[in-house]
């Protein structure tokens, strides 16, 4: 009889131990399922954030493309303005040298720079004495 009691006691211990292990396994499974649900919610949130980020990236790309286009247009207009200003400067310089009086005075200044005296400037450039003296005094002040 002792052996039957021992066998029953061993069977009860095995059953109780198996029940405890079963409950522990159910706890682990329940905990893992909760973690899985939490991870799934995080994944959905991250997918939504990624979608919003992608949409914002596309908006920014289109804005950058518009800015680039505007800058190119502005650059072309600026280049055209620079070329126009250069042309005007060249035309102005050409007009300066087309003026016969300007040629005379330019020649007189050149002569002063080369060391010509007052009488030589009056004679060669055919300008009045007062103007020759003025040019000579201006040139001497600049030197």
């Amino acid at each position: 009889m002792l052996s039957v009691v021992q066998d029953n006691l061993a069977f009860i211990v095995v059953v109780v131990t198996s029940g405890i292990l079963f409950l522990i396994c159910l706890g682990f499974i329940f905990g893992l399922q909760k973690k899985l649900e939490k991870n799934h919610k995080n994944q959905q949130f991250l997918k939504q954030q990624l979608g919003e980020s992608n949409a914002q990236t596309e908006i920014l790309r289109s804005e950058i493309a518009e800015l680039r286009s505007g800058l190119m247009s502005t650059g072309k207009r600026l280049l055209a303005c620079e070329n126009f200003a250069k042309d005007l400067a060249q035309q102005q310089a050409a007009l300066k040298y087309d003026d016969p009086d300007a040629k005379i005075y330019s020649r007189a200044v050149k002569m002063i720079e080369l060391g010509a005296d007052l009488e030589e400037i009056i004679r060669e450039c055919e300008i009045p004495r007062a103007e020759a003296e003025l040019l000579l005094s201006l040139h001497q002040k600049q030197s």
Side-chain angles (χ1 to χ4, degrees):
M1 183 148 169
L2 189 55
S3 138
V4 172
V5 171
Q6 284 179 343
D7 284 342
N8 282 342
L9 188 58
F11 179 72
I12 291 174
V13 169
V14 168
V15 169
V16 169
T17 306
S18 297
I20 292 173
L21 286 174
F22 178 73
L23 290 175
I24 291 172
C25 287
L26 280 177
F28 279 131
I29 290 172
F30 182 71
L32 288 174
Q33 184 161 355
K34 287 290 184 184
K35 276 190 162 185
L36 184 63
E37 287 174 4
K38 185 178 178 181
N39 285 342
H40 183 70
K41 285 181 182 179
N42 282 340
Q43 182 184 20
Q44 291 299 323
F45 176 74
L46 291 175
K47 280 183 179 180
Q48 179 185 2
Q49 290 290 337
L50 181 62
E52 290 172 5
S53 294
N54 286 340
Q56 187 66 26
T57 301
E58 287 304 314
I59 290 169
L60 292 173
R61 282 185 180 161
S62 68
E63 288 177 358
I64 288 172
E66 287 176 23
L67 287 172
R68 184 180 298 146
S69 172
L71 285 174
M72 292 296 289
S73 175
T74 302
K76 287 177 183 177
R77 288 195 315 248
L78 179 62
L79 187 59
C81 288
E82 286 177 349
N83 288 336
F84 184 72
K86 284 179 187 177
D87 290 343
L88 284 178
Q90 288 174 350
Q91 289 174 7
Q92 186 178 15
L95 288 175
K96 177 180 164 184
Y97 293 115
D98 285 344
D99 184 12
D101 291 335
K103 286 182 182 179
I104 292 172
Y105 292 111
S106 295
R107 182 172 175 212
V109 170
K110 279 277 194 214
M111 289 178 68
I112 292 169
E113 289 174 355
L114 295 173
D117 66 352
L118 184 64
E119 296 301 324
E120 186 179 359
I121 294 169
I122 294 170
R123 185 178 61 251
E124 292 293 322
C125 296
E126 299 176 356
I127 58 175
R129 176 175 290 278
E131 290 179 10
E133 288 173 352
L134 177 64
L135 284 173
L136 194 59
S137 67
L138 285 175
H139 176 72
Q140 288 173 348
K141 286 183 181 179
Q142 289 178 355
S143 298

